[in-house]
Amino acid sequence: QVRLQESGPGLVKPSETLSLTCTVSGDSISSGPYYWGWIRQSPGKGLEWIGSIYYTGRTYYSPSLKSRVTISADTSKNQFSVKLTSVTAADTAIYYCARFDIVVVPGFDYWGQGTLVTVSS
Amino acid sequence: QSVLTQAPSASGTPGQRVTISCSGSSSNIGRNAVNWYQQLPGTAPKLLIYGLNQRPSGVPDRFSGSKSGTSASLAISGLQSEDEADYYCVAWDDSLNGVVFGGGTKLTVL
């Protein structure tokens, strides 16, 4: 069973950098054909894709967040991470990590439980 | 403003058949597979329908999906109280080179 678990600070100050890590178990992020991605959900709102990464380092980012987002992967730890710079209150959301199956689905088939990040001073 | 358009709400009574629609464009639904997710309150989204009306293991066959042109639909037959949730359509967009979500439809079982 594939499991994903988000971790990181639950509170970030405005203008600082939000950093989250997703730890994967039950699968290797180096195995294909999967991308690994981040999605967020503002309180009471819909889902927003942030970006995705392949284990080789190939990344895709949401055009609306591209200037502030970096997604990276650490295959030795079977983890991938997201950094979002210059955060504001609008970045307050539940952040989910998920596996993107390229071939069968294609789409996000396994999700983490999500972690709430609040941007506030 | 979501790239894929869904009605914000839908409702039905137990046993009824309900349809949730998702409208897109030639760069997303028109060219690529549409997936549907169910999100129960306080939980992560769950894959409900993928590809050409495929269901992951454990998803009842009361749920079905279809696509025509640049629109897609999720149908739920034999509506049950536990189907009360938010439903999202998702697709890859070739123009944006990324994943696009619908705004979600909140289904209420009356």
Side-chain angles (χ1 to χ4, degrees), chain B residues 11-29:
Chain B
S11 63
T13 56
Q16 200 172 24
R17 185 176 188 271
V18 171
T19 300
I20 296 172
S21 298
C22 175
S23 177
S25 69
S26 58
S27 64
N28 42 64
I29 295 179

Side-chain angles (χ1 to χ4, degrees), chain B residues 34-69:
Chain B
V34 178
N35 301 325
W36 289 92
Y37 293 83
Q38 177 192 60
Q39 187 176 33
L40 298 169
T43 69
K46 167 190 164 185
L47 182 62
L48 199 63
I49 296 287
Y50 66 94
L52 291 174
N53 193 24
Q54 303 298 308
R55 289 182 306 278
S57 175
V59 174
D61 59 7
R62 301 186 295 105
F63 295 90
S64 62
S66 63
K67 187 176 88 166
S68 178

Side-chain angles (χ1 to χ4, degrees), chain A residues 2 4 7 14 26-28 36 41 47 52 60 69 74 81-84 87 92 94 110 121:
Chain A
V2 180
L4 299 95
S7 60
D27 193 9
S28 168
W36 303 88
Q41 186 171 33
L47 299 163
S52 300
Y60 292 93
V69 173
D74 186 337
S81 301
V82 61
K83 292 186 186 298
L84 183 65
V87 297
T92 293
I94 297 173
Y110 288 95
S121 56

Side-chain angles (χ1 to χ4, degrees), chain A residues 4-7 20-24 37-38 78-81 97-98:
Chain A
L4 299 95
Q5 179 67 57
E6 304 89 350
S7 60
L20 296 173
T21 294
C22 182
T23 301
V24 180
W38 290 93
N78 217 33
Q79 297 175 332
F80 61 103
S81 301
C97 60

